[in-house]
Amino acid sequence: MNIHSAELEGQVHVAEKKKIRKSKRERQEILYAYLFLMPSLIGFMLFIIIPTVGSFVLSFVEWDLLTAPKFVGLGNFESLAKDDVFATILKNTFVFSIFTIPIGMAISFLIAVLLNQGLKGTNIYRTIFFLPVMASAAGSAVVWKWIFEKDFGLLNYLLSFFGIVGPGWLTSSEWSMTSVIIMSIWKYIGFDMVIFLAALQGVPKDLYEAAEIDGAKAWHKIRHITLPMISYSTFFVLIMAIIRSFQIFDQMYILTKGGPGYSTQVLVYYIYTNAFEFFKLGYASSVAWVLFVIILVITLIQMKLQKKWVFYR
Amino acid sequence: MRKLISIALISTLLTGLVGCSSGTETSTPNEKVAPSKGDEVVTLKFSVQHSAPVVKKFEEEWIPAFEEEHPNIKIEMNSDPDKIAFYQRMKTQFATNKNPDLMRITIEEFPNFVQSNAFLSIDEFAKRDSAELDMDDFAPNLLEAFSDEGKLYILPTDWNSTVIHYNTKVFDEMGIPYPEENWTWDDFLETAKKLTVDKNGDGKIDQYGFLVTDRLFSAAPFVYGAGGKFMSDDYSQALINSSESKEALQFYVDLVQKHKVALHLPGANPANQFDAFISGQAAMVSMPRASIVNLLGKMEFDIAHNPKGPKGIGGVFGIGGYAIMSNTKHPEEAWTFMKWLASKEQQTRMTSTGASVPGRKSVATSSNILEYPKHASIYYDDSQYATLLETPPAFSEIEAAFNSELGLMFEGKKSVDEGLQYLEGKFNDILK
């Protein structure tokens, strides 16, 4: 035992010595590493860390930019709890997410499976489906605004062929959220599809061959091979989609301005109006932190649950 | 190799540093310029939020003209096309002491800035130069609008109230008489009914009598015409849930809900509004003179006073000007510029672009503003009927709440009663 530990100590000693011998060069390398990292580290500090700390501090004060900030403790959060508009907005955000995430993921998975069949022109289709991601949200929302227009919009024109008088997609509070959901799904399926496609291409072909020999049908192959084999990317897409849909803003800003009524007001839109239209920076910051906590909790739950269904190869 | 890398790195870092420091210097030129003495050239920073054509005029014609008249003052102008972004920038700059010497201001944001001591009172200057200024040329209620606790802050350069604009071609074609001088809400409703037609018989109305938006500004003339108010004079309490306001909003909402004579454009995108009016989708619309720049040359129109409500003609006006910031290092030069901006010559130039009604009576009654439309004198006449927009510091929040509720009422999601009851509580919360 003693001899053994002495031996070990010796080894450690040698290792330490080696380390010391290397260290001058190593230190220099570390220095260079930090130098190279500096631009992005500075950026990270300036644009992420400092504003985050700032908004945390702001969530405990009342500030309109013009007068001196006033400390109110948890006052902002208390008024949030009483704010009935905020309750509506939370509901809207959840409704938006509950519809956008599963439908969007199902469609993008379907497209990915179809594109993975190795048909001719796959590249072209892949590009076409990815285009909405690249198009600026502002630009495409203008086009969607025209599509959704009540009297001369494309959608209602198409519906008129079937004898349906279409609603005011963006101008009635029953349909406005649906319209925003449709546009958001269209906007993001490309991104999710590319991730699914990459994962699908990584599934070994021999698994399918083996299953075919066992007489598996197409559905069985998807259910028992494809889905488990790509579950890690499904998990990634899910997390991204949740964060994305809780942070949705552009579509509402351009399509509906949160209206009619409060029908398409969502969390980030509420942060924006409170901070930059009403200049209630403290209140807006407290909404931002509520949003952060919501996303954090959902993501933590996801991380726990993933053990049950996500397989890593 | 390593040397090369370090040289590259150091030079990048250095250029970065130099870039940064020069950036901070250019953003505060004021501090470097010593207080002006005599013929030294002074640079004034001037921030505005105007439409693109007006900004272009400022840059290419007006400011060069001013600089020629005043060789010791240079104007450095920058502009924002968007109102929200503009005030956001101004407030951030003021908070960090990097604000311009003069800025554009409208009544909605005036209380916020003035109560934060952001503006310089011009009382002393105005008293000193009273002969040259001809203060009587400004309507008293315009001057009062830009005063706070008895002190005047801004010379009003432009103001607007909403009046009824109507498509004369549609009226002529349908043989409907033009609105009369003293028309009432009932006359207005009758006219709107006559103008509302389904031209091709497909069950869809192709031409509406009137157009409504979810905006406080467009509902306010009705509220005031019925003798209602949004809140108490000291902005401490909501008065919106009164029988007068209820009558007004019921009439206004019924135009859409009950009589179906008004086209409802939710969200109030002004561009849609102009399209609907120009294309004849709506024959009448309530808008300020500042909007006619979008109509001129595209259609034939005339204007009429707002229809008379139970308590007379109602109207609401907003007002704009240019304020001197309290922390300017060159108050004397800034005052010279403000005086020039509010001068007859400059207001004439400004008004000729088809913008707002000028603050000076003499300009408003000059021949070039009365040229078109036929009853253009109504624009200035309206000042005797119009009430100043009620703007507590939290006006943007009041407006947003009102707009959302109005939208729900137009849709029939809430009755006028329910909407007003909710608004009363909401207003009181905001005003607290």
Side-chain angles (χ1 to χ4, degrees), chain A residues 169-182:
Chain A
W169 289 95
L170 297 172
T171 54
S172 73
S173 40
E174 282 103 358
W175 288 98
S176 52
M177 187 51 102
T178 313
S179 313
V180 178
I181 289 174
I182 293 173

Side-chain angles (χ1 to χ4, degrees), chain B residues 42-268:
Chain B
V42 164
T43 303
L44 291 178
K45 291 212 288 173
F46 177 50
S47 294
V48 297
Q49 186 263 315
H50 281 303
S51 63
V54 174
V55 170
K56 199 168 168 234
K57 287 271 188 191
F58 258 118
E59 280 172 345
E60 290 174 1
E61 294 171 26
W62 302 339
I63 288 180
F66 172 81
E67 286 177 341
E68 204 167 306
E69 284 169 40
H70 305 85
N72 65 323
I73 305 175
K74 281 253 160 301
I75 304 293
E76 199 182 293
M77 187 178 96
N78 55 59
S79 65
D80 259 302
D82 176 53
K83 194 169 136 189
I84 293 169
F86 173 69
Y87 285 117
Q88 194 177 317
R89 198 160 60 87
M90 286 303 110
K91 288 179 181 179
T92 321
Q93 288 184 348
F94 184 71
T96 51
N97 221 2
K98 290 199 186 331
N99 55 289
D101 300 283
L102 289 106
M103 67 174 274
R104 166 78 182 166
I105 184 87
T106 50
I107 192 67
E108 302 94 295
E109 286 290 344
F110 176 69
N112 279 318
F113 280 88
V114 84
Q115 283 167 27
S116 312
N117 300 321
F119 293 157
L120 192 73
S121 167
I122 56 166
D123 269 344
E124 300 283 304
F125 289 129
K127 212 174 284 167
R128 191 189 68 192
D129 297 347
S130 60
E132 175 195 350
L133 274 174
D134 185 13
M135 291 300 273
D136 294 338
D137 202 15
F138 297 98
N141 53 351
L142 300 185
L143 290 172
E144 202 182 306
F146 272 151
S147 299
D148 186 59
E149 290 175 0
K151 278 190 193 156
L152 178 65
Y153 285 87
I154 294 158
L155 294 176
T157 54
D158 49 277
W159 64 279
N160 270 300
S161 68
T162 52
V163 293
I164 303 288
H165 289 62
Y166 58 93
N167 188 328
T168 48
K169 210 175 131 214
V170 171
F171 275 71
D172 289 345
E173 279 172 7
M174 299 187 67
I176 295 169
Y178 294 154
E180 276 171 39
E181 180 81 20
N182 266 319
W183 67 334
T184 61
W185 283 7
D186 291 336
D187 300 334
F188 172 72
L189 179 59
E190 283 314 307
T191 312
K193 275 183 180 164
K194 281 185 217 153
L195 287 163
T196 304
V197 280
D198 172 10
K199 284 180 179 163
N200 52 12
D202 65 349
K204 259 167 75 178
I205 294 168
D206 305 293
Q207 178 186 296
Y208 284 93
F210 191 52
L211 180 154
V212 296
T213 55
D214 302 346
R215 288 189 69 203
L216 185 144
F217 222 99
S218 52
F222 290 92
V223 173
Y224 294 133
K229 256 177 101 36
F230 288 83
M231 57 202 98
S232 59
D233 285 336
D234 61 353
Y235 301 143
S236 65
Q237 211 188 342
L239 296 179
I240 187 69
N241 195 12
S242 64
S243 58
E244 290 88 358
S245 312
K246 209 195 123 190
E247 185 184 5
L249 285 175
Q250 193 65 57
F251 177 80
Y252 193 49
V253 168
D254 278 349
L255 294 173
V256 174
Q257 276 287 316
K258 189 169 156 198
H259 305 297
K260 301 192 169 42
V261 295
L263 173 67
H264 173 219
L265 287 182

Side-chain angles (χ1 to χ4, degrees), chain A residues 8-309:
Chain A
L8 260 179
E9 254 168 46
Q11 274 174 0
V12 170
H13 198 64
V14 171
E16 260 172 17
K17 253 191 185 167
K18 257 188 196 163
K19 213 178 172 184
I20 289 159
R21 230 186 296 141
K22 254 189 176 177
S23 67
K24 197 177 167 192
R25 189 202 168 105
E26 253 179 11
R27 240 185 286 158
Q28 235 167 5
E29 275 176 5
I30 288 167
L31 182 74
Y32 280 123
Y34 275 115
L35 271 176
F36 278 111
L37 280 173
M38 207 49 101
S40 53
L41 275 182
I42 291 174
F44 186 67
M45 278 296 287
L46 280 179
F47 299 115
I48 309 281
I49 300 289
I50 294 176
T52 308
V53 175
S55 83
F56 185 72
V57 174
L58 274 182
S59 64
F60 300 104
V61 300
E62 238 170 48
W63 192 35
D64 65 353
L65 278 177
L66 286 172
T67 41
K70 193 175 100 201
F71 182 77
V72 291
L74 290 172
N76 285 327
F77 294 95
E78 273 165 28
S79 20
L80 256 191
K82 279 185 244 153
D83 185 348
D84 50 348
V85 175
F86 182 67
T88 315
I89 279 157
L90 266 184
K91 196 195 86 196
N92 286 344
T93 312
F94 276 95
V95 166
F96 176 84
S97 306
I98 284 165
F99 284 96
T100 314
I101 298 168
I103 299 175
M105 282 177 72
I107 296 175
S108 48
F109 175 71
L110 211 71
I111 295 172
V113 170
L114 292 177
L115 287 180
N116 197 33
Q117 302 304 312
L119 299 174
K120 249 191 183 171
T122 301
N123 281 341
I124 295 167
Y125 286 120
R126 197 173 51 195
T127 313
I128 291 173
F129 284 117
F130 196 70
L131 269 180
V133 182
M134 316 237 293
S136 81
S140 42
V142 171
V143 177
W144 277 98
K145 213 169 172 172
W146 172 71
I147 294 174
F148 285 135
E149 162 66 48
K150 187 181 176 203
D151 295 315
F152 47 85
L154 187 66
L155 189 55
N156 280 355
Y157 178 67
L158 291 176
L159 287 175
S160 71
F161 286 120
F162 303 99
I164 302 167
V165 179
W169 289 95
L170 297 172
T171 54
S172 73
S173 40
E174 282 103 358
W175 288 98
S176 52
M177 187 51 102
T178 313
S179 313
V180 178
I181 289 174
I182 293 173
M183 188 204 151
S184 303
I185 290 175
W186 167 85
K187 171 101 184 117
Y188 296 115
I189 44 174
F191 181 78
D192 297 349
M193 178 270 295
V194 165
I195 295 168
F196 277 130
L197 192 57
L200 285 174
Q201 283 165 351
V203 179
K205 295 273 180 294
D206 45 358
L207 287 176
Y208 292 114
E209 281 161 18
E212 266 164 39
I213 292 166
D214 288 344
K217 299 254 163 51
W219 164 244
H220 289 123
K221 282 192 281 183
I222 288 183
R223 170 74 186 79
H224 295 290
I225 299 172
T226 315
L227 284 180
M229 289 301 283
I230 65 157
S231 58
Y232 64 95
S233 66
T234 313
F235 179 63
F236 174 72
V237 169
L238 181 64
I239 299 258
M240 293 301 286
I242 288 172
I243 294 175
R244 199 168 59 208
S245 56
F246 273 90
Q247 294 184 343
I248 192 79
F249 172 73
D250 318 33
Q251 279 87 322
M252 279 76 174
Y253 182 68
I254 298 153
L255 282 182
T256 60
K257 293 266 177 203
Y262 300 101
S263 59
T264 54
Q265 289 238 10
V266 285
L267 276 170
V268 178
Y269 197 85
Y270 200 52
I271 295 174
Y272 170 81
T273 46
N274 269 296
F276 302 120
E277 285 181 22
F278 307 158
F279 292 99
K280 290 162 72 179
L281 284 116
Y283 198 63
S285 300
S286 64
V287 180
W289 278 88
V290 170
L291 172 63
F292 169 74
V293 170
I294 292 173
I295 294 181
L296 182 72
V297 168
I298 294 178
T299 309
L300 285 178
I301 294 172
Q302 290 292 330
M303 298 296 254
K304 281 267 179 231
L305 283 179
Q306 66 153 326
K307 289 185 189 119
K308 298 215 156 82
W309 63 278

